Amino acid sequence: MKRERLDKVLANMGLGTRKEVKALVKQKLIEVDGVVATDPGMHVIPEEQTILVEGEPLNYKRWIYVMLNKPPGVISATEDPRHETVVDLLPIEWADKVHPVGRLDIDTEGLLLLTNDGQLSHSLLSPKKKVDKEYYAKIRGQVTQHHVDEFAKGVTLDDGYHTMPAKLEILSSGEESEIKVTIMEGKFHQVKRMFAAFGLEVTYLKRLRMGTLLLDESLELGDFRELTEEELAGLRGE
Ligand code: URA
């Protein structure tokens, strides 16, 4: 368990800015293990110690699960020397802790889960678990039943790797086609490379679903929210 500054813990819990929570301490409104706190910088282990705010227990949240509607132009990483990253879009108290579960390309939009729960993250990304990912895409060129059949057999990519079977659904077909595709792996640029294998170019890509977790379409690009209990239970297979 990590020791953290009391004012940071209180601010992370949404009790106010660091300055505001320092004022709560100065006003003697915070108790740690039955003793009135006087130093906002004192170290506490929030999971183990009892922190009272005006006599009410502080419900410390150890685990963070955030759904982001990823906008284009940001990198799915925690740090990048040149570009804005997905964690830069989050409040600082989350940004410091979470990592993205898997990666979307810089130009891909849509569902991205961010968490500090390494175990859940690992189980969602493990190839053995075959968690399916559904995407909506616009394709330059005509997508036909031939492609649907080929995707169902798996597609050999430019490096010789043969993908697992993928479900391709044609929404419209023409000079530009619209499709939905569901894949069970997360190889680098996988959807783009699967279409490239047939000389087709993905011009727009958006992730709609990961396992049981659906993108909340009410989130604008760049917006985020915490997962609900039901969404979390679904991802855990409960
Ligand atoms: N496949 C891609 O090609 N890009 C993504 O961002 C996700 C899947």
Side-chain angles (χ1 to χ4, degrees):
M1 299 287 170
K2 213 167 105 204
R3 282 157 51 87
E4 287 178 86
R5 283 178 61 104
L6 177 62
D7 53 2
K8 191 170 170 211
V9 170
L10 296 171
N12 284 355
M13 292 294 300
L15 288 179
T17 61
R18 281 284 262 276
K19 198 170 154 201
E20 285 162 353
V21 300
K22 279 190 176 120
L24 293 178
V25 176
K26 296 285 177 221
Q27 289 162 43
K28 305 203 182 329
L29 296 175
I30 311 292
E31 263 180 49
V32 177
D33 289 339
V35 180
V36 172
T38 50
D39 175 12
M42 77 180 283
H43 281 87
V44 292
I45 304 176
E47 295 91 337
E48 288 180 359
Q49 292 181 281
T50 304
I51 303 174
L52 301 185
V53 180
E54 295 188 65
E56 294 293 327
L58 185 73
N59 222 343
Y60 184 76
K61 226 187 259 169
R62 172 79 177 84
W63 303 110
I64 304 164
Y65 304 92
V66 181
M67 172 193 297
L68 169 72
N69 186 0
K70 179 191 170 297
V74 296
I75 302 260
S76 300
T78 51
E79 280 180 299
D80 190 85
R82 278 175 301 137
H83 292 96
E84 196 180 16
T85 72
V86 287
V87 298
D88 294 332
L89 301 172
L90 303 179
I92 185 78
E93 63 268 23
W94 288 345
D96 280 353
K97 294 185 177 144
V98 299
H99 61 268
V101 178
R103 257 184 275 172
L104 292 177
D105 296 338
I106 187 162
D107 56 349
T108 302
E109 299 178 4
L111 175 65
L112 189 67
L113 173 65
L114 295 120
T115 184
N116 57 349
D117 182 344
Q119 212 176 333
L120 180 73
S121 175
H122 180 76
S123 82
L124 291 172
L125 295 176
S126 159
K128 277 189 242 141
K129 294 274 167 70
K130 298 195 182 128
V131 172
D132 51 7
K133 273 111 2 198
E134 184 178 0
Y135 295 85
Y136 163 84
K138 289 185 184 161
I139 311 292
R140 183 168 295 137
Q142 192 155 19
V143 181
T144 65
Q145 184 60 38
H146 167 68
H147 301 113
V148 174
D149 297 340
E150 291 300 312
F151 271 51
K153 291 186 245 168
V155 174
T156 304
L157 303 180
D158 46 9
D159 58 0
Y161 178 78
H162 192 77
T163 70
M164 286 191 215
K167 184 174 154 225
L168 177 59
E169 188 189 338
I170 301 172
L171 303 175
S172 71
S173 182
E175 267 173 46
E176 181 187 74
S177 304
E178 285 178 280
I179 61 97
K180 278 186 185 174
V181 63
T182 305
I183 59 175
M184 287 181 284
E185 304 143 287
K187 299 283 173 210
F188 186 59
H189 297 330
Q190 182 164 338
V191 173
K192 291 174 185 164
R193 288 162 72 210
M194 287 175 84
F195 281 98
F198 300 95
L200 295 166
E201 190 192 342
V202 174
T203 56
Y204 174 83
L205 190 60
K206 174 182 180 180
R207 182 153 64 191
L208 304 173
R209 183 172 62 82
M210 183 174 197
T212 54
L213 186 64
L214 288 171
L215 175 66
D216 179 343
E217 296 281 356
S218 73
L219 292 175
E220 302 281 339
L221 283 173
D223 279 358
F224 52 83
R225 67 159 172 79
E226 286 190 86
L227 296 197
T228 64
E229 290 295 327
E230 292 75 38
E231 286 170 334
L232 190 53
L235 284 181
R236 290 190 172 131
E238 292 166 1

